Amino acid sequence: MAGLIPQAFIDDLLERSDIVEIIQRRVSLKKAGREFAACCPFHGEKTPSFYVSPQKQFYHCFGCGAHGTAISFLMEYENLSFPEAIEQLAEQAGLEVPREAGDDDRREAHAPLYDALDAAAEWYVQQLRQTPKAVEYLKNRGIDGATARNYQIGWAPPSGLIEALKPRFTPQQLVDAGLAARRDDGGIRERFRARIMFPIRDRRGRITGFGGRLIEDGEPKYLNSPESEVFHKGQVIYGLFEARKAGTRLDDIVVVEGYMDVVGLARAGFHRAVACMGTALTRAHLDSLFRQVSRITLCFDGDAAGRRAAWRSLGEALPAIQGLREVRVLFLPEGDDPDSLVLRDGLAGWEERLAGALPLSETLMRLQREEHPTDTAEGRTRFAHAAMKLVATARDPLFRDQLVERIGQETGLSQERLEQVLSEQPPQPARNPEPGPGHELPATPGGRAPARGESAPALWGALLARVLQHPELDWSQPEFRQVVELPGAAAETLRNVLAALDESPGRHTAGLLERFRDQRHFQRLMALAHQELNDGEPAVTRQTALDCARQLLRQHYRLRIRELTRPGSELGTEQRAELARLTQQLQRFDLPK
């Protein structure tokens, strides 16, 4: 079950809905073999890289990585919540969405918080109009009335909000919304006082929190809403809703430091800037932005703090580079920030400066040279070792090859020698936006058939990808039923997938995936569902999956045999019987030695 909507209804709705028809109403699709292609609606491009599969009822963009089911598409394209996407699909299918009793409706539970935040924003706007010093501050920063209205900028006076909202909201609701804080005596006080107020919106435009800036001396200069049921600072991207509202086809996005930079650039006519609300750039931020565009430019101050921030961002950005994704880096003159630069140099000057941003690879070389000068053998050695540690985090093999070549140019070391250094780096764990067992389910690179001696995670990924993408095949072979009994989250996931197929044999890929939307490894399954397999015939797909299952069983049996036969082990009757059974099982598998 997802929320209060029965899972059986979601399954039936997906069977009745055609993803090609749903997307065709919003995007111009053209037939491309067994699939349909278009320029991606989630990022600007001139050559189609967005494909829709009628067989899988699934879409995938090879440019920005966007992928999902009909429900996912409506959520992303229309900025809908999951229940709202279900409602829209049901309306198109002529169905009424049933509801199951027993759980609280989270939307209803959070409604008072959203209402309180909306009411506070309106009150802050009214206060700004009545506060000349705040209006004068914004004017001096180049913010005019139209921009202030577009971003709903307001003013929090030293007091008055609690009194104004008291008739509509309880003290606890104001605390839960992050607008007030508890005093030691149990009463409440206003969290934001004497600050310019910037509402923070989610992708649907709902206000989830605020950022407040002092205009006079004091600390802290910037204050954000606390974590709440509707505000999660590590996931917030300030200005993204406004950027999408200003232009539905964004070509690129520029990440700046704070909300004044975003608003100042918008005042000058630049509507592609966003900020991470004072938190360090994370992989979750990057993945969210790459769902909108394929090119991101990161802006940093030119001082030591800016370089430290750039180093941290390198570690997050390198693994995020895949396919057509691109990250560029712009170091600003020391003492300047984007809104002061655009105010002084104008929009043309800012655009010209932005055009000079360095590719991520060149930024890596530049920062490494500053840290490890290459004018000595020792410096070149340190450069190579430090750079190769970072290169090991890159996930795209072509990008990694290019980085190795550049490091060779900087250090004079051969690519073969650097590849050897790279092979000695410890394996990098997969970084997923969500916690959970996703790290146990990596896809086999390129969708190739697994080789002898392949790692267990790669085998699980290859096996799951084939079951997810071809639910119409017969998966009743004994090996598939045996492998799901192995320990670990990957086996449990496969067991649940096969159980769903047993329950509804005709289910397609999208229907299978939606069964797991509420589970933590949903995004990993989505990635496996769009991985290119290159198997050709269905018989090859099934045989490859069978080989994966057999290798997993073989690895497990061998490991258990080693445990039973380690020196000093004394086997009882049960252990000897188990050893005989495992040895017999191994002999059944006709696999290469």
Side-chain angles (χ1 to χ4, degrees):
M1 189 183 77
L4 294 177
I5 304 171
Q7 183 64 54
F9 176 80
I10 296 173
D11 294 342
D12 182 51
L13 184 61
L14 286 171
E15 289 297 326
R16 293 169 179 254
S17 303
D18 180 7
I19 192 171
V20 175
E21 180 184 346
I22 290 164
I23 296 179
Q24 181 73 62
R25 293 175 184 173
R26 297 160 177 84
V27 180
S28 178
L29 296 175
K30 292 185 177 180
K31 198 78 168 68
R34 293 192 301 173
E35 298 183 331
F36 291 82
C39 288
C40 181
F42 302 116
H43 80 283
E45 62 178 8
K46 297 179 180 179
T47 304
S49 60
F50 180 85
Y51 288 83
V52 184
S53 168
Q55 180 186 14
K56 298 178 184 177
Q57 289 291 299
F58 197 80
Y59 69 88
H60 174 65
C61 176
F62 291 93
C64 67
H67 56 260
T69 65
I71 297 173
S72 303
F73 181 84
L74 289 177
M75 290 173 67
E76 289 292 331
Y77 191 86
E78 304 282 359
N79 283 326
L80 301 179
S81 66
F82 178 79
E84 289 170 335
I86 294 293
E87 292 278 1
Q88 189 169 128
L89 279 179
E91 182 179 351
Q92 293 171 9
L95 301 175
E96 183 177 348
V97 180
R99 297 283 175 173
E100 289 184 352
D103 290 327
D104 291 331
D105 189 330
R106 295 182 64 190
R107 289 180 301 160
E108 291 299 324
H110 295 161
L113 306 188
Y114 289 120
D115 291 343
L117 291 162
D118 279 340
E122 293 174 5
W123 189 79
Y124 289 144
V125 169
Q126 293 172 4
Q127 299 306 304
L128 177 64
R129 299 187 186 119
Q130 302 168 21
T131 311
K133 67 175 182 179
V135 173
E136 189 64 25
Y137 171 83
L138 291 173
K139 287 182 177 178
N140 290 337
R141 295 293 299 265
I143 308 302
D144 61 4
T147 305
R149 284 191 296 275
N150 287 341
Y151 284 85
Q152 209 171 348
I153 298 173
W155 168 255
S159 64
L161 176 70
I162 292 175
E163 191 67 26
L165 299 188
K166 187 188 298 183
R168 296 176 54 192
F169 304 98
T170 67
Q172 188 58 49
Q173 286 172 337
L174 296 181
V175 171
D176 291 343
L179 296 168
R182 288 286 178 188
R183 297 195 305 259
D184 293 339
D185 62 4
I188 62 172
R189 60 173 177 80
E190 290 165 22
R191 180 174 295 276
F192 298 100
R193 292 170 286 180
R195 292 177 182 271
I196 296 287
M197 298 298 290
F198 299 83
I200 304 167
R201 302 178 185 276
D202 63 13
R203 64 180 188 176
R204 293 174 54 197
R206 298 175 301 185
I207 297 174
T208 61
F210 289 92
R213 190 192 193 284
L214 289 175
I215 62 175
E216 297 176 345
D217 293 339
E219 292 292 337
K221 180 163 47 171
Y222 297 99
L223 180 66
N224 293 325
S225 290
E227 291 287 314
S228 74
E229 289 296 321
V230 298
F231 183 77
H232 307 288
K233 188 165 62 173
Q235 300 174 13
V236 169
I237 301 176
Y238 178 74
L240 183 57
F241 172 77
E242 287 81 2
R244 292 184 62 179
K245 185 179 175 182
T248 55
R249 290 291 297 271
L250 292 170
D251 291 324
D252 65 311
I253 282 178
V254 178
V255 181
V256 294
E257 184 178 355
Y259 26 76
M260 279 303 302
D261 295 320
V262 173
V263 175
L265 288 169
R267 165 64 181 87
F270 188 88
H271 298 282
R272 308 193 307 276
V274 300
C276 296
M277 298 311 302
T279 62
L281 184 73
T282 67
R283 178 69 185 277
H285 287 134
L286 286 166
D287 286 339
S288 180
L289 291 172
F290 273 129
R291 284 195 287 270
Q292 310 297 324
V293 297
S294 59
R295 185 171 71 251
I296 298 172
T297 301
L298 309 178
C299 290
F300 299 104
D301 292 340
D303 56 13
R307 274 162 169 69
R308 286 194 298 272
W311 271 118
R312 290 192 298 269
S313 297
L314 275 176
E316 298 294 335
L318 282 168
I321 300 296
Q322 299 174 28
L324 300 179
R325 291 180 176 184
E326 179 185 3
V327 173
R328 301 178 71 85
V329 178
L330 176 64
F331 287 103
L332 305 176
E334 194 165 350
D336 272 317
D337 48 38
D339 75 314
S340 67
L341 285 170
V342 78
L343 196 61
R344 186 180 69 227
D345 302 338
L347 180 59
W350 167 253
E351 293 273 17
E352 182 179 354
R353 189 179 297 275
L354 201 58
L358 292 175
L360 184 67
S361 57
E362 292 307 310
T363 303
L364 171 61
M365 300 305 132
R366 173 177 168 178
L367 292 176
Q368 287 286 3
R369 280 195 300 270
E370 292 176 359
E371 189 79 12
H372 307 293
T374 56
D375 53 350
T376 65
E378 292 83 356
R380 290 189 292 274
T381 301
R382 289 193 296 269
F383 182 111
H385 279 294
M388 293 307 288
K389 284 183 179 179
L390 282 171
V391 171
T393 68
R395 314 303 296 181
D396 187 306
L398 296 180
F399 180 51
R400 188 156 53 181
D401 288 347
Q402 295 293 321
L403 290 174
V404 171
E405 183 177 343
R406 281 291 290 113
I407 294 168
Q409 294 169 359
E410 293 286 336
T411 61
L413 293 169
S414 69
Q415 191 156 348
E416 292 75 16
R417 186 69 185 90
L418 290 171
E419 290 285 358
Q420 181 181 348
V421 173
L422 184 61
S423 68
E424 295 167 357
Q425 298 295 325
Q428 299 297 315
R431 297 287 302 277
N432 294 312
E434 300 182 50
H439 64 283
E440 299 185 32
L441 315 176
T444 307
R448 60 173 170 79
R452 183 179 62 180
E454 193 78 72
S455 69
L459 290 168
W460 280 117
L463 173 52
L464 271 163
R466 284 160 174 84
V467 176
L468 287 167
Q469 293 189 34
H470 292 278
E472 77 282 358
L473 298 180
D474 178 14
W475 301 108
S476 61
Q477 193 82 5
E479 283 86 346
F480 297 126
R481 304 300 164 170
Q482 293 169 13
V483 79
V484 299
E485 298 304 323
L486 296 181
E492 181 183 359
T493 298
L494 179 60
R495 183 163 62 248
N496 292 336
V497 170
L498 293 178
L501 286 177
D502 288 342
E503 182 182 326
S504 300
R507 197 183 304 278
H508 48 57
T509 297
L512 265 181
L513 289 168
E514 288 297 345
R515 303 277 298 193
F516 301 94
R517 179 174 286 275
D518 290 338
Q519 299 191 20
R520 290 179 298 175
H521 54 266
F522 175 66
Q523 292 297 332
R524 193 71 200 100
L525 293 179
M526 292 267 280
L528 291 172
H530 74 69
Q531 179 190 10
E532 190 173 358
L533 299 181
N534 301 320
D535 289 337
E537 296 298 321
V540 177
T541 296
R542 188 171 176 279
Q543 185 59 50
T544 301
L546 188 59
D547 290 343
C548 291
R550 286 173 173 167
Q551 286 196 54
L552 286 164
L553 289 168
R554 190 177 187 229
Q555 288 179 8
H556 176 73
Y557 295 155
R558 283 190 160 185
L559 178 61
R560 182 60 181 150
I561 288 172
R562 284 199 298 269
E563 291 174 350
L564 291 170
T565 58
R566 65 179 180 269
S569 297
E570 294 184 6
L571 302 183
T573 303
E574 291 185 4
Q575 286 79 19
R576 285 195 296 271
E578 181 184 0
L579 180 60
R581 186 173 65 254
L582 292 172
T583 303
Q584 185 180 17
Q585 290 279 15
L586 271 179
Q587 292 171 351
R588 286 181 52 242
F589 298 134
D590 184 20
L591 296 176
K593 302 295 183 185

